[in-house]
Every structure is written in structure tokens, then in C-alpha cells.
Amino acid sequence: MKYDFSAIEKKWQEYWEKHETFKASDDYSKKKFYALVEFPYPSGHGMHVGHIKAYSGLEVVSRKRRMEGYNVLFPIGFDAYGLPTENTAIKTGVHPRQVTDNNIVKFTSQLKRVGFSFDWSRVIDTTDENYYKWTQWIFLKMFENGLVFRDKTMVNYCPSCKVVLSNEDSQGGKCDICHSDIVQKTKEVWYLRITEYADKLLEGLKEVDYLPNVKLQQENWIGKSTGAFVNFSIKEFDEKLRIYTTRPDTLYGVTFMVIAPEHPIIQKYRDSISNIDALDAYKAECAKKSEFERTQLVKDKTGVKIEGLTAINPITGKEIPVYISDYVMMGYGTGAIMAVPAHDTRDYDFAKKFGIDIIEVIKGGDISVEAYTGDGEMVNSGELNGITNKKDAIEKMLEVLDKLGCGEKGVQYKMKDWAFNRQRYWGEPIPIVHCPHCGMVAVPYDELPLKLPPVENFEPGTDGESPLAKINTFVNCKCPKCGGDAKRETDTMPQWAGSSWYFLRYCDPNNNDDFASQESLKYWMPVDWYNGGMEHVTRHMIYSRFWHKFLYDLGLVPTSEPYAKRTAQGLILGSDGEKMSKSRGNVVDPNDVVDVFGADVLRLYVLFMGDYEKAAPWSESSVKGCKRFLDRVWALQDKIVDSDDYSEKLRSPMHKTIKKVTEDIEAMKFNTAIAAMMTLINEIYTVDSITKKEFRDLLIILNPFAPHITEELYQLIGCEGVLNEQEWVTYDESLCVDSTIEIVCQVNGKIKCKLNVPADIEQADAIIAAKSDEKVKEAIEGKNVVKEIYVKGKLVNIVAK
């Protein structure tokens, strides 16, 4: 009987849906397992094979956990707010709500067609009013606790999307959405004080089981550094320029300072600066550049010396010039830096261009040629002279700064406060009212959700104003505090808002009184295993850890960390080895694969194609190989011998395979687990028969990978119940050990033969066995054996002269 995958897969998908097979139980007495995948953004393009790989890892683990007796929560939802949907709406004239709903229907159909064992009773949609009510609620809690503020600052602005972007959303000077160049613009922005949680975010990494690279990326993103704050006096005024440096030991080598073109000291003393026009012109040029362009290391050094402001080196007492330059930003540190050209490449290039003194303070290089950036003995540095250890030199300078009262030890972070607003329609409205008498006032909790008003024109204003600003019925309101006329905030939240707490809502998705009940949170949290892309280990993961830690501090969640474990999958590349893209024409549609080969083949292949954590190219021939494997499994029903035990020939291979698959699933070595089952199939065909128990246990370990075909075969061979409700099979460790092993026999390092010997063979017997082989005898005949080596379980090497 031929395997009709279309009919069989449809049959079992309908069965699972009708019986709610994968619905998590509300029985909190059971041992639990919470598996989380990154919920998709429902784009109009539908799912791609990358989604299939991303979800298949924990899909396999979740199916195995259910068989191990766990109450499994494996949910799915949709992260549906964002610019792409709004841009589609603007182009097509279809409301974003309708675009989103259509896309969610499409994604849901695709996910079900692949047979994922998600709990479909817990689906969430970040654009649903019952969901974003709680996103707004958490925002207001942050507002109450001083973690929300507004500030006028230079922002990354996308002229194409007409929206302000955070640094994270405009990396490389490009808009994350449309990839247009970013420009700098002064604007009032909402911020979340994520920097208040920088140390907690770092400390929390000690508690969790994340991939080393995930931890490292988060540590680098937060970017904690220890150093010193130092005050440089201004000669002409009773004024100080404050800087932060990680190398206070080099203060004797400071020969100039650089401040951001936007530094407020320029405006404060502009009437006393003789070349203020040149400074203004330079500042205007800087405004045209993105932050990425301004901070590039490899670029021409530009700047203007400030005529009228002279700094004093607090350690040497010497006067030093002050410049403005584009590479210093007001949003980083203090907006001013000290420059040590002898030991910093950028400062060196700047000093050479503008003819500034270069003073060596660390011995070891030739500063007439280039900056010396290594370690060495301190020179030209007063009380630091002769110190050869950087740590000791820094400690000594900190003492000097403290004694002089011009500086102190300090800590800085690379991570900045989170720019938390968009000037677009399709996002969560920010629940704040602006009152001329009371200032910023929170929308009362009992008025949440503050709903998005219906609009027909989604176009943002030419000055980057939100479309909501055009709706007078939305904007004009009464102040909740004084009852006077007021105006609503018209910016919306960024796309990251809804995904910063979605894992909590899955615990209790239909709760109207809380974002989730305490009982459900105490049972399900933390997420036991979270898998996703490496591109989200900084922004999304850090943002969501921040929200979670804030809620933990309020006593609203039971764990300090949301995710106990985090892994990541690699990309699926096109068959040409390049990243899949429509322009390259190398995109693979999962629907096409299911149409031709079936869902089980697709599921099997995305896990068999290579190391799960690494990128791998798509291979049509390997897809066909997976199809042949499942066809061979299907055909085994014709080779069944009715026995409730393992046959002697397959007893050891069965136990070895069960052990291998069991361990490899936990290690996410899905490709080798599948390879082990393929090897077992070859052995079964060599024997040319399979007992009913062997077939049943094979179907159990294959089920998480290929659930449709295994469920069908389980019924066809007359087993009771349904397969997914059976217990995971166990193995006997003693039967997983080979009784014989193959060792290599060498003479003078050259292989002469390979022998099968008992696994526990002693050295003397191994050497006797090697010497008994005809080829080894021939190689040592007439020679003097000077050494005999046995590497246990691997080789014998005889050295003969």
C-alpha cells in the first residue's frame, strides 16, 4: 500500500484539532514544561522555511516531553503591530486591522498544515484590544515608578518611513524597516529608563542557561565599563567640562579635548566664541549625518577648534585646546572626551591633522610613526612613572584625582535608555494626557485599553507627526486629574512593546482582570526553554528581560528571569549558499514542499540538513532522501513478525538508537538523531524482518520528527490508543555498549590492517592480536621491535627498526 501523505496528514491534523490533543492542562499538580518560540510577525508573504526550522526544534522536544509525562505548554501567537503592515495599508488602501487579520489567517493555516503541536487555545495577537490593554497597563506602571520620561534629543529619523528610530532599529545608519539612510533630527522623545536595570540585566545572566554567544552578545550590548569621571576647568569662565574615561592612567598625555557639536556649553557662551559661525555651520553639516556615519572609526577626521574656550588639564595644569567633531555624540557619555593622541588611533589621526602636541605616557611604541595602544611602563606621568601594570596605574591615578578633588571612580554603560515611541498609526496608543496645568497625566487604569481610533488616512505628517494628531476627537480630551481641557499623546509604542511580555500572557491568555493570574504564573514560569534567532538575542531579549525584572520588583511575577534556557537556530540558505531573498530568486516556499513531499518530509529535512545552530543551504536531493527514508519506514509494515520483544539481531541496535535519539534531542543534535534512525532502518532491512515491539518503539522515537506517518502506522499495526499518548521508550545502558570494537594496527605509524577485537581487550592481548595479522608480520619480519603502543579502543602501533 502506497503512503498517501496528503490524505493521512489531513486526517491526523483534523484529529488533533477536534480532540485538542496539544492543549495544556490546567491541572497544576502535574510536572510542567514550558517551551517558547518567537511568535512570528504576520507579513503578507506568509511563512518561509526559516519559520519551519525555527519552530521544529522545540516542536520535537515538546512532543517528547508529553510522552515523558509532562504537562506541556507550547504556545503560538502573532506579533502584529509594526511599520510593514501600515506601509502595506498605505499602498493598498486596506485598513491595517484587515491586513493583519488576513495575514494571521494565512499564517495559521500554514502552521497547522505542517502539523505543529501548538496549543491553539492560547493564541495571542498583540494588536487585540484585550492584549494591548495590558501592554498599556505595564507602561503606566513604569510611568508611576519613574521609568518613563520625555526628553528633547537628537534622534535617528527615517525620512522615508517618517518615523523616529532607536539606535537598535537603525544600525549601520539604515532604517530597519525600509533600509533607507537615517538622518539626525531634534525631537521630543519618550524613553524607558532601561539603564536603571543595566546591572540587574548583567547579574541575571549568571542565573540562566543561555548559549555562550547569547550571553556574550548581551554583555557587549549592555557594555558596562569601569573608569573615572574627570572635571576639566575652562580657563575663560567658572565652568567645567566633565568627561568619562576608562583610562585615567593616561591623563598626563591629554593634549586636547573634543566635545559634541551640540554640546550646551557652546550655546551658553556663544557670544564669547569668536568663530561661532564656523561652529554653527559644522553643526548643521553634522545634522545631515546618521549616528552610524558620525561614529565610524575609518573616515576623514573633521572638526573645528573653539576660539574662546580653553580647557585646563587638571593633572598637569597645562592649557589645552577644545574642538568640536562629529564623532563625539551628546547621547554617549557626557558629550565630551579627553584626547590622548599618543595612545589612541583616532586621537592620533586628529592630532596629526590639526597639529596638536602628542605626548608619550606609555613606553613601548614609536609615536612618531603611529599611536601605541599596547601596555607598558608609565613615563612622563609624575607619580605614575615606572608603574608597568595598567591596573595599578589606574588605581594610583584614582587616588590622585580624589586627592585633587577633580574626579572620581565611575561606571558607564554602552546601552542607552530605550527610545519608546513611533509617529505612526499602527501601534499601541501611549496612555498619557498632556494637561497645561497638571503636565503629563496617566490615563486611569479603568479606562484601558485606550483604543486606536478608526482612520482612513494612515499617512504620517510631513514633519514626522503621528496620523493620530489629525484626529481631533481623539486628541482633545479632559485631564483625568483636574478635569480641564487637555490633549492626548499621539505617538504610539514601538513594535517591541507587545513582545516584551507575551510569554506571560500565554500562561493565562483569556484573563480580563489581570495580565495573568498569580496561580498560573507561579506554575508555568519561568519559560523552561526558549528558542529563536540570533538576531533577537539583544534587542528583544534584553527589552523583555527588562520588563520582566521590573514586574518582578513589583512582586507581580514569581521569577527574576523570564527564560531559564535560550538556544538559537541557524539560517536556511538558498541552494546557492546565499541568504534567501526574492531578488536572488532562491526562496523556498514551505507550501511547495508540502504539496510535493508532505509535511513530515519537510519537518524531517529542516532538522536533518545540518547542525541546528548553524546555517545550511537548501538541497533538493536531500529532501528527496528524507522522502525515501519515510517510504522505507512505511514499507516496514510488510515485514512485521508478531512478537512482543526485540529480536536478538536487533536488540542492541534498538537500544543504541533509542539512547542516541533520546540524548540528541536534548542536545538539539537533531541531524544525528535522524541519521541514527536511518542507520537502524538499514539494519532492519538487512535482517529483513521487524517485530511488532521493535516497530512500535521505532515509531515512538520517530514520532516527534514525523508525527503523521507514525500515528498512521501505529494504528495500522494494531497498537492500542494513539501514539502521542504513549510513554517515551527507555533503553538498557548495558545493551548500548559494543561487545567488539574495531582497532587500527600500525607499523611505524603506517596503517597495515584493522581488527575486530573484544571491547575490553587488555594491552598485551591487543598487541598479540596485531602481531598475528599477516600484514603486520610481514612489516616487522627481520626487524627489531623497539616499542609497542596500545591506545585503548583505538589503535596498536609497533615501532620496528
Side-chain angles (χ1 to χ4, degrees), residues 636 654 680-681 684 694-702:
L636 285 177
M654 283 296 300
L680 177 63
I681 292 296
I684 292 168
E694 287 164 350
F695 202 3
R696 175 188 176 276
D697 290 357
L698 169 62
L699 293 176
I700 286 174
I701 60 174
L702 179 58

Side-chain angles (χ1 to χ4, degrees), residues 48 65 85 125 167 308 371 444 472 492 499 631 681 692 722 726:
H48 52 75
R65 283 287 188 281
T85 296
D125 167 7
N167 289 338
N472 291 331
T492 52
S499 62
D631 286 342
I681 292 296
K692 186 174 179 179
V722 287
Q726 306 310 306

Side-chain angles (χ1 to χ4, degrees), residues 723-794:
L723 180 52
N724 66 77
E725 293 174 0
Q726 306 310 306
E727 285 187 16
W728 187 255
V729 284
T730 57
Y731 55 88
D732 183 338
E733 189 69 56
S734 66
L735 292 170
C736 297
V737 179
D738 287 317
S739 58
T740 62
I741 55 172
E742 185 179 73
I743 63 170
V744 172
C745 300
Q746 299 176 334
V747 175
N748 296 331
K750 294 182 178 179
I751 296 174
K752 296 301 174 183
C753 69
K754 294 178 181 178
L755 297 177
N756 281 310
V757 298
D760 57 354
I761 193 169
E762 296 295 327
Q763 176 170 332
D765 293 333
I767 289 168
I768 290 170
K771 284 182 172 180
S772 300
D773 182 85
E774 290 301 322
K775 289 182 179 177
V776 174
K777 279 183 183 177
E778 187 181 315
I780 62 175
E781 189 176 356
K783 294 179 181 176
N784 181 34
V785 175
V786 295
K787 200 170 189 180
E788 296 170 338
I789 302 164
Y790 176 55
V791 179
K792 191 170 180 62
K794 292 185 178 179

Side-chain angles (χ1 to χ4, degrees), residues 673-720:
I674 294 166
M677 288 186 279
M678 289 176 169
T679 300
L680 177 63
I681 292 296
N682 290 337
E683 295 194 48
I684 292 168
Y685 271 88
T686 300
V687 175
D688 204 32
S689 68
I690 184 170
T691 70
K692 186 174 179 179
K693 178 172 173 53
E694 287 164 350
F695 202 3
R696 175 188 176 276
D697 290 357
L698 169 62
L699 293 176
I700 286 174
I701 60 174
L702 179 58
N703 176 262
F705 299 88
H708 307 88
I709 189 173
T710 50
E711 285 282 12
E712 186 70 12
L713 283 168
Y714 187 80
Q715 284 207 336
L716 286 174
I717 65 173
C719 294
E720 291 184 9

